[in-house]
Amino acid sequence: ADISNFYYSDLWYMQPGVSIDQGKARFTADKLIIESASGKFGKSDYRTSGYLDNYLAFGLMENQPLGGYLKRYSGQLDVNEWMTSEEPTSNSTSSTEAEAASILYEDLTLKDFSGNMTIVNEEIDMEEIQFNMFDSRIAMNGIYNSQALQKPLYTLYLDVKELCVSYANDYFSPVSAFAPALAFINGIVNSELGIKGYLREDMSPVLEDVNSL
């Protein structure tokens, strides 16, 4: 089936709106196979392909799992539009292979992003995440758990290459909370560190709860 000029928005999970400018899909009894699709999530562009499992039962009945695999590319992804305190779907299992030229998160810009994310129920497992920020290259693995929606938990393991410490401290104050010793260092550093903590409902970190691993 060919899809074009499609738009959907609701007051809960899709308030910024999702559009499909052009798409091609095939339907089977248990899978929605997305051969190609392009459009926008809010202001963010995307191209994607993959499949969704159990889509009919998920759309028509309560408490049905939704699974699948998606490969997605964005030129610019504005995460701020999708920060919400609404409860996520708790019985979904899916995997995403993502690439983005630029990701906006709060006041930060992550460039040349790539990585894999697997969602199992209310937990996101992040693997082989890489991006550029503060003129450095950062590799990351970790977990985001939203089972306690009012205080979601994150655990991150970071490998930071050629970080300009003064630049990072000037433009991102939580750096000193994540790695306090960096507040007293100038120059370029390479570092491996693990951190865990909580996020507020708006997805910003609770700095007083940041702990090293």
Side-chain angles (χ1 to χ4, degrees):
D2 293 328
I3 305 170
S4 62
N5 301 319
F6 173 86
Y7 177 81
Y8 175 78
S9 177
D10 62 36
L11 296 176
W12 295 277
Y13 304 114
M14 297 291 183
Q15 190 170 0
V18 176
S19 69
I20 301 176
D21 297 335
Q22 297 289 334
K24 184 181 290 289
R26 292 186 289 115
F27 300 86
T28 68
D30 61 346
K31 274 189 171 63
L32 167 57
I33 302 169
I34 305 168
E35 296 181 358
S36 64
S38 62
K40 287 191 173 182
F41 282 90
K43 296 180 293 187
S44 305
D45 64 290
Y46 73 88
R47 298 195 310 266
T48 191
S49 61
Y51 64 86
L52 298 175
D53 287 322
N54 201 42
Y55 70 98
L56 280 176
F58 177 81
L60 298 175
M61 294 181 285
E62 293 184 359
N63 300 318
Q64 291 294 312
L66 178 68
Y69 166 82
L70 293 174
K71 185 174 183 178
R72 173 177 167 173
Y73 172 81
S74 290
Q76 178 169 289
L77 175 61
D78 188 350
V79 177
N80 299 308
E81 286 189 289
W82 298 93
M83 291 182 181
T84 176
S85 60
E86 294 291 339
E87 185 175 357
T89 301
S90 62
N91 58 349
S92 294
T93 301
S94 63
S95 297
T96 299
E97 181 181 345
E99 293 185 16
S102 175
I103 294 181
L104 305 180
Y105 170 66
E106 293 194 323
D107 296 329
L108 301 176
T109 300
L110 285 61
K111 297 182 179 180
D112 298 326
F113 177 95
S114 65
N116 303 310
M117 289 168 281
T118 300
I119 301 173
V120 180
N121 296 325
E122 295 166 278
E123 185 170 279
I124 301 176
D125 186 5
M126 298 170 282
E127 296 182 336
E128 299 180 355
I129 304 294
Q130 297 188 53
F131 55 89
N132 294 331
M133 187 171 67
F134 306 134
D135 291 335
S136 67
R137 187 65 176 169
I138 300 174
M140 182 179 79
N141 293 291
I143 292 173
Y144 165 75
N145 187 307
S146 63
Q147 291 174 347
L149 185 61
Q150 303 303 317
K151 204 172 183 181
L153 171 70
Y154 66 87
T155 302
L156 302 176
Y157 295 92
L158 303 160
D159 183 2
V160 182
K161 302 295 186 186
E162 298 185 353
L163 173 68
C164 178
V165 177
S166 60
Y167 181 85
N169 282 323
D170 287 344
Y171 287 92
F172 189 49
S173 58
V175 164
S176 58
F178 292 155
L182 294 181
F184 306 98
I185 297 174
N186 287 315
I188 305 297
V189 300
N190 298 317
S191 179
E192 294 184 4
L193 67 152
I195 56 174
K196 66 177 180 179
Y198 298 95
L199 299 177
R200 297 185 177 88
E201 291 185 40
D202 64 358
M203 301 295 286
S204 61
V206 181
L207 297 182
E208 57 269 26
D209 284 339
V210 175
N211 292 292
S212 61
L213 298 172

